[in-house]
Amino acid sequence: MIHASRTYSDYSTPATIRLLDGLLESTSNPQKYRTTMHDIGIELGKCLSESISNSSCLVVSTAEDADFLSKGIIESISSNASKLYTGVFWNNHYQVSDGSSVAPVVHKYLQPGFQESKNLIVAKSVLSGSCVVRTNILALIDELDKDTSIFIVSPVLYKEAEQSLRGEFPEEISSRFKFVYFAKDADRNEASGEVTPGIGGMIYQLLGLSEQPVRTGYMPQLVKDALSTPT
């Protein structure tokens, strides 16, 4: 599938391009969409494996991404990381009167011991702006070592997203960012903020969720499993 406004990163392969196309082809089939997003997570994890080899990692995501994209990343890097911690944020993402977006953290789960992580991996199904990722990094940055590497990991990002996110942080933090993605899109719907073709639309509906998890009490299986596992 050819998209005139899309370019591919050096991490991209024919297999990952097929997976990205698979997202766009399964927008009316939530179960297939979930499986494809999980498989993309596995491929993104492969891109991280060498960088995080034999060191501790904290993988964080929003609640809607936890059981699919984030789970795939976790499964992919589990044999390379010396220790693996999980974090999930329930963000209430909305626009304020001036048109800008905010995404306060209403609830969060952070696996005990996460502070020792030497790598912070922030997973997001699509990176359109800086709002959600910025908020979640800020919620963690003071609890991690000042030399912790920060990986921003997403299947697709908007062409201005990297610059926008870096601009939200002082140099001593933004210099630690490394962006890992497969495709960069040049178009975005300014009314909705959705990147096009992006991941095919609004992630909640694509995954079969009614709306943002923070508004429905949705609990990812990833968190349920972590809470039921003795520490």
Side-chain angles (χ1 to χ4, degrees), residues 124 149 226:
K124 187 76 166 59
S149 298

Side-chain angles (χ1 to χ4, degrees), residues 89-229:
F89 290 92
W90 285 256
N91 297 87
N92 184 19
H93 190 199
Y94 62 95
Q95 283 193 327
V96 294
S97 57
D98 65 0
S100 61
S101 294
V102 294
V105 176
V106 180
H107 307 292
K108 63 182 176 181
Y109 168 77
L110 291 167
Q111 192 171 357
F114 75 93
Q115 296 92 337
E116 74 175 57
S117 302
K118 300 303 180 185
N119 300 282
L120 170 60
I121 299 169
V122 184
K124 187 76 166 59
S125 52
V126 61
L127 192 60
S128 175
S130 60
C131 182
V132 175
V133 171
R134 171 187 177 274
T135 299
N136 294 348
I137 292 175
L138 286 173
L140 291 165
I141 198 69
D142 289 338
E143 300 193 64
L144 299 172
D145 188 90
K146 63 181 179 62
D147 295 322
T148 300
S149 298
I150 303 172
F151 296 89
I152 316 298
V153 183
S154 182
V156 180
L157 54 78
Y158 179 56
K159 64 177 181 178
E160 298 175 2
E162 179 175 347
Q163 181 180 355
S164 176
L165 185 62
R166 289 188 186 277
E168 297 281 1
F169 291 89
E171 171 67 19
E172 61 264 29
I173 296 176
S174 64
S175 63
R176 290 148 55 191
F177 290 176
K178 184 173 183 180
F179 289 78
V180 178
Y181 63 93
F182 292 136
K184 181 181 291 186
D185 288 343
D187 293 336
R188 184 172 66 179
N189 183 314
E190 292 305 322
S192 66
E194 291 179 19
V195 178
T196 56
I199 56 170
M202 188 65 71
I203 187 65
Y204 317 114
Q205 287 74 30
L206 294 171
L207 291 170
L209 307 176
S210 59
E211 60 174 312
Q212 294 187 51
V214 72
R215 300 176 185 173
T216 64
Y218 172 76
M219 175 72 74
Q221 189 64 43
L222 193 70
V223 177
K224 293 178 183 178
D225 291 345
L227 291 172
S228 65
T229 301

